[in-house]
Amino acid sequence: MNNLLDAFATQHAGQPLERLDRAQRQPLPAPAYTLPSGALQALFDLRGRGLVSAAKRNSPAATALREAGLLGRFGGASDTATTIAGIVERAGRTLAAERVDRSGTTTWSCWASGPDAVVRTAHDDTETIDLLPFTSAVARLVAWSGIEPFWPVADPDDDESRVIPDDVVDAVVAGRQVDPPADAGPVLAARWREPWSTVSIAVPGSDDGLPLVFMGSASHLRIRVDGGSRLQLVPSYWVFEALPQLLERSWSTT
């Protein structure tokens, strides 16, 4: 078979499907600033020269901000820091996401004012801050979410109406061993053994959102129901299209 085709997916789908593994696991761009947790809040607290105590100016977050060139010796903000703070304060659009995997929970926040945006991620005791165009921020969110090229190949007789208890989803995401459902077909059983992660993307102040579950690169829309969640297998291009649609729906009413 042509080595550009995915033999497994082609066999199950009954049509030629290209290999996508060469496009996976691409590294994220390095953030502009990697700082201790609370650094962005410290930037707001410390940017007024002489208005804060020496103890606050010498905290780990404040020290990191000075070393990064965002604050001066006595708390004065650099031009870049002033721009960051101004965008967050004037933000007309906001976007938030949460990713949970075996390493724990990471949050992603974006504030946009005009064409510019500030993006913050936080995990454990570290946060990153980026200043970039808003269009790039949305693209960065897609990459950060771990959405990878994926062709959906399901068992013909698999029942997608199956409800998986949320505690089972949480356990598998955390890396604990949980057997697949007894009636799972071979394709679902294979996906089940991959590392899981959950990603939830939302516009603050909106009831709309995009909840996802990934088994390896296999993407699923997470549909909450009584007793747990239904996991609807979807191709990655559906996810790529769903995010802009979410933003359009949410921001068209503001």
Side-chain angles (χ1 to χ4, degrees), residues 31-160:
Y33 304 101
T34 300
L35 304 162
S37 180
L40 184 59
Q41 183 60 53
L43 176 62
F44 280 90
D45 294 340
L46 297 167
R47 57 183 168 153
R49 185 186 302 272
L51 298 180
V52 295
S53 67
K56 286 187 176 180
R57 293 200 303 268
N58 292 323
S59 68
T63 300
L65 288 166
R66 284 198 301 273
E67 292 175 348
L70 292 172
L71 289 181
R73 180 180 177 185
F74 297 106
S78 69
D79 290 344
T80 299
T82 299
T83 299
I84 290 172
I87 291 173
V88 174
E89 289 178 327
R90 298 189 305 270
R93 294 180 173 181
T94 56
L95 189 60
E98 179 184 86
R99 184 181 66 208
V100 183
D101 57 21
R102 295 181 183 184
S103 68
T105 300
T106 305
T107 59
W108 187 97
S109 305
C110 174
W111 298 266
S113 176
D116 301 316
V118 172
V119 170
R120 172 187 178 269
T121 67
H123 178 74
D124 290 339
D125 297 327
T126 301
E127 68 182 45
T128 68
I129 300 174
D130 275 299
L131 175 63
L132 67 172
F134 177 67
T135 51
S136 298
V138 175
R140 193 74 62 88
L141 170 60
V142 172
W144 173 87
S145 298
I147 304 168
E148 297 181 341
F150 168 69
W151 289 116
V153 178
D155 297 296
D157 300 324
D158 194 36
D159 182 9
E160 285 201 337

Side-chain angles (χ1 to χ4, degrees), residues 100-104 164-180 192-198 213-215 222 224 229 231:
V100 183
D101 57 21
R102 295 181 183 184
S103 68
I164 300 176
D166 289 329
D167 60 346
V168 171
V169 175
D170 294 341
V172 182
V173 167
R176 297 195 290 275
Q177 182 67 39
V178 180
D179 291 333
W192 191 281
R193 290 190 289 271
E194 296 287 333
W196 285 34
S197 63
T198 62
V213 174
F214 294 95
M215 303 178 190
R222 185 176 190 176
R224 302 277 189 168
S229 298
L231 303 183

